[in-house]
Amino acid sequence: MNTFESPPIPEELEARLPRIALLAGEALQARALADQLTRELADFGIVTPRLEASPPPQIADRFERRSEANARAHALWHEIENLGGLVMDRELGAIDFITAWGDSEVRLCWIVGEPSIAHWHHLDEPCSARRRFASIDPPHLC
């Protein structure tokens, strides 16, 4: 079995990763805020996604802040996609990048908090099948 240290990571992807990491971290924070506000609304007995009547100010404020946090998270994930990332899991912050390797294409995998891109999987595999670079077989030999 042939193993390689890593598939080629395009230089432009390495250059974009710090920006992507910042955006993904901010998106996760926005999502966490929206989740916190949802829990606070539930404490008030509010479980519907929309208000039906004029709510008290503390409830209206939480609805507005939750809507803003959700919109911010969505915009940040969209910006990551514009930078070439495929957002695979918005709760975990898992992002894939398709790249050529050997005779085929693979997905390079990165999760928020990881210092660099160090995992990969085949295009037809889920994120859970990701492998560390040290265990890579060239796609044309798999």
Side-chain angles (χ1 to χ4, degrees):
M1 168 168 50
N2 295 327
T3 58
F4 297 85
E5 296 255 339
S6 67
I9 299 175
E11 286 183 29
E12 66 274 5
L13 175 55
E14 286 184 349
R16 286 188 309 235
L17 190 59
R19 175 79 177 138
I20 289 169
L22 178 67
L23 295 170
E26 289 179 11
L28 290 177
Q29 289 176 348
R31 171 69 187 261
L33 175 59
D35 290 347
Q36 170 67 32
L37 292 165
T38 296
R39 287 189 297 277
E40 290 176 15
L41 287 166
D43 290 343
F44 284 110
I46 309 293
V47 294
T48 60
R50 293 185 208 146
L51 292 176
E52 300 294 328
S54 296
Q58 70 270 25
I59 292 175
D61 175 65
R62 284 174 176 83
F63 264 89
E64 182 177 340
R65 289 175 41 219
R66 181 179 68 177
S67 177
E68 290 169 357
N70 280 326
R72 172 107 174 107
H74 180 76
L76 290 162
W77 292 126
H78 185 69
E79 188 172 345
I80 288 168
E81 290 172 346
N82 286 340
L83 290 170
L86 300 171
V87 180
M88 305 306 293
D89 186 324
R90 291 176 184 222
E91 291 184 21
L92 186 60
I95 302 169
D96 283 359
F97 307 91
I98 296 176
T99 191
W101 189 34
D103 296 337
S104 63
E105 292 182 318
V106 296
R107 291 178 184 251
L108 303 177
C109 309
W110 178 79
I111 296 176
V112 170
E114 293 178 342
S116 62
I117 298 171
H119 297 83
W120 74 282
H121 64 90
H122 292 286
L123 292 180
D124 61 348
E125 294 176 323
C127 290
S128 60
R130 72 187 206 141
R131 304 157 180 83
R132 290 197 56 77
F133 287 160
S135 65
I136 293 177
D137 290 326
H140 63 280
L141 298 178
C142 294

